Amino acid sequence: MRSVEEHQAVVAALLRPLPVEEVPVGAAAGRVLARDLVALVDLPTFTNSAMDGYAARHAEVGTASDTAPVRLPVAEDVPAGRTSVPPLAPGTVHRIMTGAPVPAGADVIVPVERTDAGTDVVTITGSPAVGTHLRHTGEDIRTGQLALPAGTPLGAAQLGLAAAVGHAAVPVRRRPRVLVLSTGSELVEPGRPLLPGQIYESNSVLLAAAVTDAGGEARTLHFVPDDVDQFLTAVRAELPTADLLVTSGGVSAGAYEVVKDALGGLGTVGFGKVAMQPGGPQGAGTVDGVPVVTLPGNPVSAFVSFEVFVRPALRRALGHASPERLRASARLTAPLRSPAGRRQFLRGRFDAGEVSQVGGPGSHLVAHLARANCLVVVPEEVTELPAGAEVTVVLIEGALQ
């Protein structure tokens, strides 16, 4: 059997970095920066006030107190947004608002709370130290400095910074277009009556959501017949607009494995077993030059296989500097068993450094999967672990609270 790492490498090699496009900062949430972004301006762009108060010379107000107040004329009002501010004349103050430019000559901002808030003449009853409440030009970042490195996921804080340093658009890699196909003649569209032997088709919904979560654009191909010729015709008609085809089902050793029968005959898709549970039967390759990853059909197997193989490959193609899920160490709340020779990915619930197993190991137990917030990783050589043993957990999203 192929190891997990060997199959990860096979899938990763199928997907190349995607083309770069410029996207407005307001539409780039969730994307990944494709090139380094440098600051186009200093931040702050000018020295400004961190408080509502009075711009003053510390030498003139530093001795002010409740018993010995200092009274000075207010020469100017400086609201935020004022672009022309005269220098501070000796023996005067400027009333100033938060974010407004500090006049030349001022070296302290006296908060309004330490004054009588006068507008013509102000009485100052206390002053902070020299330099207090001044936001100096470039103290956050200087023009030309690296603001965000390539590979950075663009969330609220990152896009706020990009806009603040002058970028109207950012370079990102195009979202991968992923065609999702779930096979099986027993599958029925949710909402329709079920006949004996039929089940509702859910894998395409699961996998399309997983593609979206990974940063891709999913399109589903529904209810392709379990016939080799019809399967190939339907798939090939859709492939020219796809960057990746992900299938679920039809890859085991049974008699009616349409994915394996159809794609295996092309000579460009390989099938085999991976030393893991769930998710042993896997396939990967290309069809008409388009990457293809074939996953097993049980819902939990499909989900775990996507997490282990497809998600990191998609995120790497998008340019993520860290394509893998976050991992943590946790202590087991109960003992567990695992078969030798296969890496287990068990559903778990992680909380405050401890993890409890959710449901049994069966790959059909999708309700238990929906309640998990992590996958508990048990190495191939481990067959038993006692309560309190330390394990690695992969933190997954979308779990019920």
Side-chain angles (χ1 to χ4, degrees):
M1 285 190 288
R2 181 180 282 171
S3 72
V4 170
E5 286 77 14
E6 287 170 340
H7 195 64
Q8 283 175 327
V10 169
V11 174
L14 293 174
L15 293 172
R16 299 292 180 226
L18 292 152
V20 176
E21 59 187 10
E22 292 281 333
V23 173
V25 288
R31 307 294 289 272
V32 183
L33 195 62
R35 294 190 291 266
D36 289 349
L37 212 64
V38 300
L40 303 180
V41 296
D42 292 336
L43 200 64
T45 55
F46 54 88
T47 299
N48 65 85
S49 175
M51 297 284 287
D52 293 336
Y54 297 84
R57 285 182 166 83
H58 189 266
E60 297 175 348
V61 300
T63 61
S65 67
D66 289 332
T67 57
V70 172
R71 289 172 56 83
L72 291 172
V74 180
E76 294 283 343
D77 254 359
V78 188
R82 183 168 176 177
T83 58
S84 177
V85 179
L88 181 66
T92 69
V93 296
H94 288 182
R95 190 168 71 145
I96 195 167
M97 305 302 145
T98 302
V102 174
D107 59 5
V108 69
I109 304 297
V110 179
V112 68
E113 293 84 358
R114 303 180 76 170
T115 73
D116 67 350
T119 56
D120 296 321
V121 176
V122 64
T123 299
I124 298 171
T125 56
S127 173
V130 63
T132 302
H133 304 316
L134 301 182
R135 300 167 176 163
H136 293 283
T137 302
E139 71 175 47
D140 192 3
I141 190 170
R142 288 285 185 181
T143 301
Q145 285 185 333
L146 179 65
L148 296 167
T152 299
L154 297 174
Q158 294 75 29
L159 290 171
L161 172 60
V165 296
H167 290 276
V170 289
V172 297
R173 296 200 178 275
R174 177 177 59 74
R175 294 186 188 276
R177 299 180 294 252
V178 182
L179 182 62
V180 175
L181 170 60
S182 181
T183 65
S185 57
E186 76 279 13
L187 302 178
V188 175
E189 183 179 1
R192 295 178 57 187
L194 289 175
L195 297 177
Q198 294 182 330
I199 61 173
Y200 287 128
E201 198 283 302
S202 62
N203 277 3
S204 67
V205 175
L206 181 154
L207 292 172
V211 167
T212 301
D213 180 69
E217 295 178 348
R219 182 164 54 90
T220 55
L221 183 58
H222 288 292
F223 308 111
V224 175
D226 280 355
D227 174 87
V228 168
D229 292 334
Q230 293 184 65
F231 177 89
L232 283 175
T233 298
V235 167
R236 280 180 151 153
E238 302 290 339
L239 282 180
T241 59
D243 298 305
L244 173 67
L245 168 64
V246 175
T247 70
S248 67
V251 296
S252 295
Y256 299 99
E257 306 294 343
V258 65
V259 174
K260 193 174 183 179
D261 294 342
L263 303 186
L266 300 178
T268 55
V269 180
F271 295 88
K273 288 289 189 70
V274 176
M276 62 185 286
Q277 192 178 46
Q282 301 286 339
T286 61
V287 174
D288 300 340
V290 177
V292 175
V293 179
T294 68
L295 309 179
N298 277 317
V300 178
S301 297
F303 177 84
V304 170
S305 299
F306 185 95
E307 283 287 323
V308 175
F309 303 118
V310 183
R311 189 178 196 277
L314 285 175
R315 285 168 60 83
R316 194 172 287 110
L318 279 165
H320 278 273
S322 301
E324 305 289 340
R325 289 278 198 193
L326 292 176
R327 294 181 172 229
S329 294
R331 297 181 307 278
L332 289 173
T333 60
L336 61 79
R337 293 178 179 271
S338 181
R342 287 175 173 78
R343 189 175 307 176
Q344 282 280 333
F345 294 91
L346 301 171
R347 284 138 288 181
R349 190 75 191 176
F350 175 72
D351 183 43
E354 294 187 331
V355 64
S356 54
Q357 189 173 341
V358 177
S363 56
H364 62 293
L365 301 175
V366 69
H368 293 114
L369 175 65
R371 291 193 289 271
N373 65 4
C374 71
L375 296 176
V376 182
V377 183
V378 184
E380 291 86 338
E381 68 276 8
V382 175
T383 57
E384 290 186 61
L385 287 170
E390 189 171 280
V391 293
T392 297
V393 299
V394 179
L395 305 178
I396 58 176
E397 300 169 358
L400 297 175
Q401 298 302 312

